[in-house]
Amino acid sequence: MAGKLFVVATPIGNIKDITLRALETLKEVDLILCEDTRRTRPLLSHYGISNELLSYNEHNERERIPYVLEMLEQGHDVALVSDAGTPGISDPGYRLVREARLRDFEVVSIPGPSAIIAALSISGLPTDRFVFEGFLPRKKSRRLKRLEFLKKEDRTIIIYESVHRIERTLHEILEIMGDREVALCRELTKVHEEVKFGMLSEIIKKGFTKKGEFVIVLRGYDES
Ligand code: SAM
């Protein structure tokens, strides 16, 4: 019988945010693929799991995929985790999942944290319809074009951003998409978790702590 590929969500900051099913799966599979063994090993050790780890990241995924498919073919169960949150969501995973599906292997979700849903659910902005933009393009011309495209998007918009670019990105959003309500979510589930809610121009003016990881939740375009 062929093995299964388990896509396992891990914490986005708080080590306790891992499901019982995730722990059970990580204990029982034959191999765990992780972005960085230095990030995943401490998590596993915390829960007394000493399973085999193999790196799977954007630099080596092309060479790893055939190996993993072979493992599945031979009947070994494999789990995929990323540094934080749900694999494949602004993290490696998509290519492997696709290749596994194309070959009819069973792919199983072990759901759990993702910064998108954590941020949206506490944002105070409409949650019934939303779009996820991931990280905006690095290149300025492409980034500005993307913001221009998003200007008339009427669903709530979720954007990931790093500390190095958060200030610049907020200024560009204000300039191109106009002033609107925003929930600026920082360090979710961690000790210094903070959410700034209000008009974008006010948040920029008042300032915020420029440390940690950010999710920007923006109100969609309102024609009225
Ligand atoms: N796979 C992850 C998920 O499911 O959310 C996302 C990984 S992506 C490489 C990292 C980005 O996610 C960060 O730059 C930040 O925008 C967002 N993020 C992850 N953890 C976060 C947290 N605890 N608080 C705020 N944002 C976070």
Side-chain angles (χ1 to χ4, degrees):
M1 223 174 69
K4 292 180 190 169
L5 175 63
F6 294 91
V7 178
V8 183
T10 57
I12 57 167
N14 188 320
I15 201 162
K16 292 181 183 163
D17 290 335
I18 187 155
T19 68
L20 296 175
R21 198 166 157 236
L23 293 174
E24 204 176 84
T25 304
L26 293 173
K27 206 172 278 179
E28 285 172 3
V29 290
D30 299 296
L31 175 67
I32 300 171
L33 302 170
C34 65
E35 260 189 287
D36 186 344
T37 54
R38 289 165 302 179
R39 280 290 291 269
T40 302
R41 181 60 69 201
L43 174 71
L44 296 186
S45 304
H46 183 86
Y47 289 104
I49 299 170
S50 52
N51 213 334
E52 195 186 334
L53 283 179
L54 181 69
S55 75
Y56 176 87
N57 50 51
E58 53 186 330
H59 308 292
N60 66 12
E61 64 181 346
R62 275 176 208 285
E63 58 184 87
R64 286 290 195 246
I65 287 173
Y67 175 76
V68 177
L69 295 174
E70 186 55 34
M71 291 279 291
L72 294 170
E73 188 67 53
Q74 288 174 9
H76 301 294
D77 287 338
V78 178
L80 172 69
V81 302
S82 62
D83 279 353
T86 302
I89 307 302
S90 294
D91 265 345
Y94 159 71
R95 284 197 182 86
L96 175 61
V97 169
R98 180 170 170 75
E99 293 302 326
R101 283 232 168 273
L102 287 172
R103 283 161 183 79
D104 266 344
F105 289 116
E106 202 174 326
V107 184
V108 182
S109 166
I110 310 290
S114 188
I116 313 170
I117 300 300
L120 177 67
S121 64
I122 59 163
S123 68
L125 290 166
T127 54
D128 52 347
R129 290 191 181 84
F130 61 92
V131 285
F132 175 54
E133 273 296 304
F135 290 98
L136 290 167
R138 285 275 183 111
K139 204 165 164 229
K140 186 167 182 183
S141 57
R142 289 186 54 216
R143 196 168 61 243
L144 299 187
K145 210 166 143 189
R146 194 71 206 152
L147 293 177
E148 195 66 53
F149 176 85
L150 287 171
K151 193 174 175 172
K152 294 276 170 76
E153 171 58 64
D154 63 359
R155 293 167 289 184
T156 299
I157 302 158
I158 303 167
I159 298 172
Y160 280 174
E161 195 48 286
S162 79
V163 65
H164 313 292
R165 288 176 283 273
I166 188 70
E167 198 149 26
R168 179 206 66 192
T169 296
L170 292 179
H171 276 103
E172 289 175 351
I173 292 172
L174 179 61
E175 200 170 303
I176 294 174
M177 299 177 68
D179 206 8
R180 50 176 83 197
E181 263 180 352
V182 63
L184 182 62
C185 306
R186 187 175 78 81
E187 296 289 79
L188 296 173
T189 76
K190 304 183 198 176
V191 185
H192 299 292
E193 170 168 338
E194 183 178 53
V195 179
K196 298 277 187 199
F197 178 81
M199 293 304 281
L200 180 53
S201 59
E202 285 297 308
I203 289 173
I204 291 176
K205 200 162 86 189
K206 284 190 191 143
F208 56 91
T209 310
K210 275 124 204 144
K211 269 190 201 151
E213 300 187 282
F214 293 85
V215 182
I216 305 165
V217 187
L218 281 175
R219 182 177 275 283
Y221 182 72
D222 182 1
E223 223 167 317
S224 57

